[in-house]
Amino acid sequence: MDRRMTLKALYEHSNCDDCPIRHRAVCAHCEKDELEQLEEIKYYRSFEAGQTLIWSGDQMSFVGSVVSGIASLTQTMEDGRTQMVGLLLPSDFVGRPGREVAPYDVQATTDLVMCCFRKKPFEQLMATTPHIAHRLLQMTLDELDAAREWMLVLGRKTAREKIASLLSIIARRDASINKAGMAGPIVFDLPLTREAMADYLGLTLETVSRQISALKRDGVITLEGKRHVTIPDMGRLMEEAGDDTDGGFLV
Amino acid sequence: MDRRMTLKALYEHSNCDDCPIRHRAVCAHCEKDELEQLEEIKYYRSFEAGQTLIWSGDQMSFVGSVVSGIASLTQTMEDGRTQMVGLLLPSDFVGRPGREVAPYDVQATTDLVMCCFRKKPFEQLMATTPHIAHRLLQMTLDELDAAREWMLVLGRKTAREKIASLLSIIARRDASINKAGMAGPIVFDLPLTREAMADYLGLTLETVSRQISALKRDGVITLEGKRHVTIPDMGRLMEEAGDDTDGGFLV
DNA sequence: CGGAAACCTTGACCGAGATCAAATGGACAG
DNA sequence: CTGTCCATTTGATCTCGGTCAAGGTTTCCG
């Protein structure tokens, strides 16, 4: 894969209603010109599936959030073992205000559109408008909770539980985006290859495949083709994941 | 263990030079009265080894930081499997400003002294003094990086590498607190039982014991008694951990 | 000093998941 | 339709770390 990428900014929209940062910035304390300032330093970028947006150790020039598609954060050891350490779905934030250098690779797992802000101006804006900083702290705390929940998955769950955990995370996020409830069957397309799932779960792709087959055989999920998943009973899936069944909070 | 704990605030010192928050708060932008405000809501608490400060699901009434000793964050599944998701050494921050309920247990792994701030006043202070919020964001980002680095350990490293990783984290922190350099042997006391290490590493205590014995046999570490460790060659240990040898940044 | 309770080590065995290998299926170009 | 490519599935075997069990050390307390 080519290490360089098209850095051309894509000013596709002059005003952007679907930008998650903007939505998040809109609150009782917002002032009109704060939004305008955000607009000024905002731009869009598209990436193809498989592209690496940022390499570990690179200078970071922007922060931003996922508009559509999926990005992933991965760490790699010298011998090639890789571990995905974050899965960024639409509305998730990317970047470390105040940091110069990226601590891990950021990849486009699917075709991806990002809403970006140039980093320096964004940091200045953060310094002058406290509620953006506050919002960012809340988002970072959410990420930290998610990372720590995932540590339990990586450290203590069996392969079957790991798969069920991943499916239930994706299903939950998907249902909340589509504003569907938890009741009734949930249907979605798996946005990850077996290999990407393996990298997220600390497994091999063969084990992922076997466990998905097993969940299918046992009626926990239904598969059409290799990617289209139906979950007839979300509670059952969460049991398989080893989670508290009642802890079904929507993020 | 008793779920209730002595909540008695310990106003041991009326002015506190060793308080990490205060140190962190001292910067070019600090104003005198900000420190005074922090002083007003600050108090100390001591805990015995094994005590649980906060139970998952509890209301949190304070935030604060570790003065001495070690605290740990743990998650537990219904069947008893537990995973430690954070190791809090002196100067590390505890608490989620803006959150009501604790997402995991906080335990005193050793005897512990915390420097606490009542949560509500602290949050108000945060809202009025942006640089505290900023400082907190930086600390949270650090924690997030540490959590993600640990995900690689949990997901992809062998038992031997896991042990070496834990030892090198403790050694690094210890050396930086004592202002010792990385050159030359590093000596410290293991602050964790084999079981606690196992919970942090996603292993069993037997495996921890075996791997420590193996590292001793191979000359990577020296043990006196069960806890007193000498690391003759930090570079060697980091190789065993599977880390980039040159990435020896002190936090 | 003696006995009990933690904590730790070591051994024997087993099994979940890794590894190596081959077959299957779907998408797409020609 | 046919061949190629890639993702996935499935099978056979191996191995690392878990499990069960026994014994050793240290600490603490009467």
Side-chain angles (χ1 to χ4, degrees):
Chain A
M1 198 180 311
D2 189 7
R3 226 192 123 104
R4 294 169 308 155
M5 37 192 172
T6 54
L7 286 179
K8 185 158 52 81
L10 306 174
Y11 287 86
E12 288 171 358
H13 310 262
S14 63
N15 94 348
C16 154
D17 286 333
D18 59 346
C19 170
I21 281 280
R22 171 162 172 172
H23 283 317
R24 297 198 138 147
V26 172
C27 76
H29 306 292
C30 279
E31 294 162 34
K32 186 63 194 155
D33 58 322
E34 174 186 315
L35 272 182
E36 279 163 14
Q37 281 179 276
L38 271 175
E39 284 295 323
E40 276 169 26
I41 59 173
K42 191 188 74 185
Y43 58 98
Y44 285 82
R45 269 162 82 178
S46 300
F47 301 91
E48 285 170 24
Q51 229 183 328
T52 297
L53 326 200
I54 302 167
W55 294 82
S56 168
D58 273 6
Q59 293 286 319
M60 292 179 291
S61 60
F62 67 93
V63 299
S65 54
V66 177
V67 174
S68 67
I70 295 197
S72 61
L73 311 177
T74 61
Q75 282 194 310
T76 306
M77 295 171 69
E78 289 107 74
D79 61 7
R81 281 177 281 176
T82 76
Q83 176 65 49
M84 203 183 286
V85 297
L87 198 59
L88 302 175
L89 307 185
S91 94
D92 282 337
F93 187 78
V94 180
R96 332 303 319 267
R99 303 302 178 76
E100 290 307 311
V101 168
Y104 18 68
D105 299 341
V106 183
Q107 288 176 313
T109 297
T110 64
D111 288 344
L112 179 70
V113 178
M114 298 270 314
C115 172
C116 304
F117 302 94
R118 286 183 294 118
K119 184 153 155 291
K120 282 273 171 281
F122 186 84
E123 285 169 357
Q124 284 166 8
L125 197 53
M126 247 180 64
T128 55
T129 61
H131 108 263
I132 290 187
H134 186 257
R135 178 68 226 149
L136 214 51
L137 177 59
Q138 294 308 315
M139 285 161 70
T140 308
L141 287 170
D142 283 341
E143 277 191 275
L144 188 55
D145 284 345
R148 283 176 167 157
E149 191 171 328
W150 206 249
M151 288 170 71
L152 177 65
V153 174
L154 290 173
R156 292 301 186 194
K157 290 195 177 179
T158 65
R160 171 183 264 243
E161 289 169 334
K162 285 179 175 182
I163 298 287
S165 298
L166 178 56
L167 290 175
S168 95
I169 282 188
I170 295 175
R172 210 151 41 182
R173 285 292 297 257
D174 214 80
S176 87
I177 284 175
N178 299 331
K179 276 141 190 159
M182 282 297 105
I186 298 175
V187 181
F188 59 92
D189 282 310
L190 264 181
L192 302 175
T193 65
R194 301 290 185 264
E195 188 179 17
M197 295 174 71
D199 282 343
Y200 198 33
L201 296 165
L203 298 171
T204 59
L205 67 91
E206 293 95 330
T207 298
V208 170
S209 180
R210 272 186 253 272
Q211 295 300 333
I212 288 181
S213 299
L215 288 175
K216 187 169 75 174
R217 175 167 30 74
D218 299 344
V220 182
I221 62 172
T222 310
L223 265 186
E224 278 167 57
K226 292 159 195 303
R227 298 293 192 90
H228 194 74
V229 180
T230 305
I231 296 171
D233 178 356
M234 192 63 191
R236 171 79 193 285
L237 182 65
M238 290 179 70
E239 268 173 43
E240 292 285 355
D243 290 339
D244 245 336
T245 317
D246 45 86
F249 48 88
L250 302 178
V251 179
Chain B
M1 197 180 314
D2 189 7
R3 226 192 124 104
R4 292 168 309 154
M5 35 189 175
T6 53
L7 285 179
K8 183 159 53 81
L10 306 174
Y11 288 85
E12 287 170 357
H13 311 261
S14 65
N15 92 349
C16 152
D17 286 333
D18 59 345
C19 170
I21 280 280
R22 171 161 172 174
H23 283 317
R24 297 198 138 146
V26 172
C27 76
H29 305 292
C30 278
E31 293 162 35
K32 186 64 195 153
D33 58 322
E34 173 186 316
L35 272 182
E36 279 164 13
Q37 281 180 275
L38 271 174
E39 285 296 323
E40 277 170 27
I41 60 174
K42 192 187 73 185
Y43 58 100
Y44 285 82
R45 270 163 81 177
S46 300
F47 301 92
E48 285 171 24
Q51 228 183 329
T52 297
L53 325 199
I54 302 168
W55 294 84
S56 168
D58 273 6
Q59 294 285 319
M60 292 178 292
S61 59
F62 66 93
V63 299
S65 53
V66 177
V67 174
S68 67
I70 295 198
S72 61
L73 312 177
T74 62
Q75 282 195 310
T76 306
M77 295 171 68
E78 289 107 75
D79 61 7
R81 282 177 280 176
T82 77
Q83 176 66 49
M84 204 183 286
V85 296
L87 198 60
L88 302 175
L89 307 185
S91 94
D92 282 337
F93 186 79
V94 180
R96 333 302 318 268
R99 302 303 178 76
E100 290 306 312
V101 168
Y104 18 70
D105 300 342
V106 182
Q107 287 176 314
T109 296
T110 64
D111 287 345
L112 179 71
V113 178
M114 298 269 316
C115 171
C116 304
F117 303 93
R118 287 183 293 118
K119 184 153 155 290
K120 281 274 172 281
F122 186 85
E123 285 169 357
Q124 283 165 8
L125 198 52
M126 246 181 64
T128 55
T129 61
H131 109 264
I132 290 186
H134 185 257
R135 179 67 225 149
L136 214 53
L137 177 58
Q138 295 308 315
M139 286 161 69
T140 308
L141 287 171
D142 283 341
E143 277 191 274
L144 187 55
D145 284 345
R148 284 177 167 157
E149 191 172 326
W150 205 249
M151 288 172 71
L152 176 65
V153 174
L154 289 173
R156 292 302 186 193
K157 290 194 178 179
T158 64
R160 171 184 265 244
E161 289 169 335
K162 285 179 174 182
I163 298 288
S165 298
L166 178 56
L167 291 175
S168 94
I169 281 187
I170 295 174
R172 209 150 44 182
R173 285 292 297 257
D174 214 80
S176 85
I177 285 174
N178 300 331
K179 276 143 189 154
M182 284 295 104
I186 298 174
V187 181
F188 59 93
D189 282 311
L190 263 181
L192 302 175
T193 65
R194 301 290 186 265
E195 188 179 18
M197 295 174 70
D199 282 343
Y200 197 34
L201 296 165
L203 297 171
T204 59
L205 67 90
E206 292 94 332
T207 298
V208 170
S209 181
R210 272 187 254 273
Q211 295 300 333
I212 288 181
S213 299
L215 288 175
K216 186 170 76 174
R217 174 168 27 77
D218 300 345
V220 182
I221 62 173
T222 310
L223 266 186
E224 277 168 58
K226 293 159 194 304
R227 297 292 193 89
H228 194 74
V229 180
T230 306
I231 296 172
D233 179 356
M234 192 62 191
R236 172 79 193 285
L237 182 65
M238 289 179 71
E239 268 173 44
E240 292 285 354
D243 289 340
D244 245 336
T245 316
D246 45 87
F249 49 87
L250 302 177
V251 178

